[in-house]
């Protein structure tokens, strides 16, 4: 379990003042590394796992390690770009929320102009990585930018911005398959839909950190929409996640070891909800971060299914 963040003088925050960025990077680089969330890799993992699952599924036997490395670097860069877009668009809201007011843009460490230049640099690196893939994967990568740039606006217009995050964060389920097979097969489509409901679960947990501030400033989320019924809904989302992954394996003909290992992943999701304390900000963050272990278990299940 990841240790809880340490509150600072500005109140509850998920930014670590004593982390490796503050200890090792030059002062001029620190705000940009923080803007890209390099010190909080859970978002990169959650973006990466659908890519790796799809690569492992689509591979004839074992996933291509070069492709896994490319997608890993791509997830790191594009997650940073997505966070930069989010912080530019949400800078006024972030300044009014306890957890986010110390981020680089609302705190004045990085100007909007500097953030835009940093965004362009990240997108150029992402493009260089994307061009190493098959044409179908390149096309899907370009299309993903529409989701990256519109997702941050969804909390203004719908109670279900977590669904749009799911559409964005699980796009790699389509890209990974296309990078291997050159097209998008039915198992990849089912995996994409499954990732969406998984995201609805874990990001509703995450959104409970900010529910009081969000209600005060008029920002929408599933945490506010579902309220005290959140646990019941998340049990439903996670049940669909387990069922969807089971169907994905069935469609692809994964072997007998797939379901036993996948069941361990399902048990992890059940543990998350059963022990989750919705009004405890630290516990919300810890349960959200624990989805990294779910991602590894699903990957292990796919590989076990190919034995």
């Amino acid at each position: 379990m990841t240790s809880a963040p340490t509150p600072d003088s500005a109140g509850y925050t998920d930014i670590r003042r004593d982390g490796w960025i503050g200890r090792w990077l030059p002062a001029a680089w620190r705000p940009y590394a923080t803007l890209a969330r390099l010190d909080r890799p859970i978002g990169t993992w959650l973006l990466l796992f659908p890519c790796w699952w799809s690569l492992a599924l689509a591979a004839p036997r074992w996933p291509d390690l070069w492709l896994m490395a490319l997608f890993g670097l791509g997830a790191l860069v594009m997650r940073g770009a997505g966070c930069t877009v989010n912080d530019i668009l949400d800078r006024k809201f972030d300044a009014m929320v306890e957890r986010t007011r110390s981020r680089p843009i609302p705190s004045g460490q990085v100007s909007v102009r500097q953030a835009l230049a940093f965004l362009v640099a990240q997108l150029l690196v992402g493009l260089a990585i994307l061009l190493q893939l098959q044409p179908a994967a390149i096309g899907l990568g370009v299309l993903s930018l529409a989701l990256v740039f519109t997702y941050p606006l969804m909390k203004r217009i719908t109670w279900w911005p977590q669904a749009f995050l799911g559409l964005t964060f699980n796009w790699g389920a389509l890209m990974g398959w296309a990078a291997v097979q050159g097209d998008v097969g039915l198992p990849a489509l089912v995996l994409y839909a499954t990732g969406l409901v998984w995201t609805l679960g874990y990001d509703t947990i995450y959104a409970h950190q900010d529910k009081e501030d969000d209600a005060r400033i008029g920002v929408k989320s599933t945490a506010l929409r579902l309220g005290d019924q959140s646990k019941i809904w998340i049990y439903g989302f996670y049940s669909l996640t387990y069922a969807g992954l089971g169907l994905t394996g069935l469609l692809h003909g994964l072997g007998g070891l797939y379901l036993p290992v996948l069941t361990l992943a399902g048990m992890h999701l059940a543990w998350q909800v059963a022990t989750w304390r919705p009004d405890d900000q630290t516990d919300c963050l810890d349960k959200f971060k624990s989805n990294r272990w779910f991602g590894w278990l699903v990957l292990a299940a796919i590989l076990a299914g190919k034995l």
Side-chain angles (χ1 to χ4, degrees), residues 50-59 63-64 67-68 71 176-177 179-180:
C51 306
W52 277 2
W53 298 344
S54 192
L55 287 171
L57 274 173
D64 185 306
L67 283 177
M68 291 187 76
F71 273 87
W177 187 281
V180 177

Side-chain angles (χ1 to χ4, degrees), residues 15 17 30-32 34 102-111 114:
I15 297 177
R17 301 301 183 190
R30 292 172 195 165
Y32 296 98
T34 302
S102 59
R103 286 178 174 174
I105 297 177
S107 65
Q109 300 171 66
V110 174
S111 69
Q114 290 170 324

Side-chain angles (χ1 to χ4, degrees), residues 92-145:
K92 293 181 180 179
F93 287 136
D94 284 347
M96 295 186 284
V97 175
E98 179 184 26
R99 182 177 61 85
T100 59
R101 63 168 60 107
S102 59
R103 286 178 174 174
I105 297 177
S107 65
Q109 300 171 66
V110 174
S111 69
V112 173
R113 184 186 295 257
Q114 290 170 324
L116 286 170
F118 183 52
L119 173 62
V120 170
Q122 291 174 98
L123 292 175
L124 288 174
V125 174
L127 177 61
I129 296 168
L130 185 63
L131 291 176
Q132 310 304 308
L133 305 178
Q134 290 207 49
I138 293 173
L140 285 168
V142 172
L143 288 176
S144 72
L145 293 177

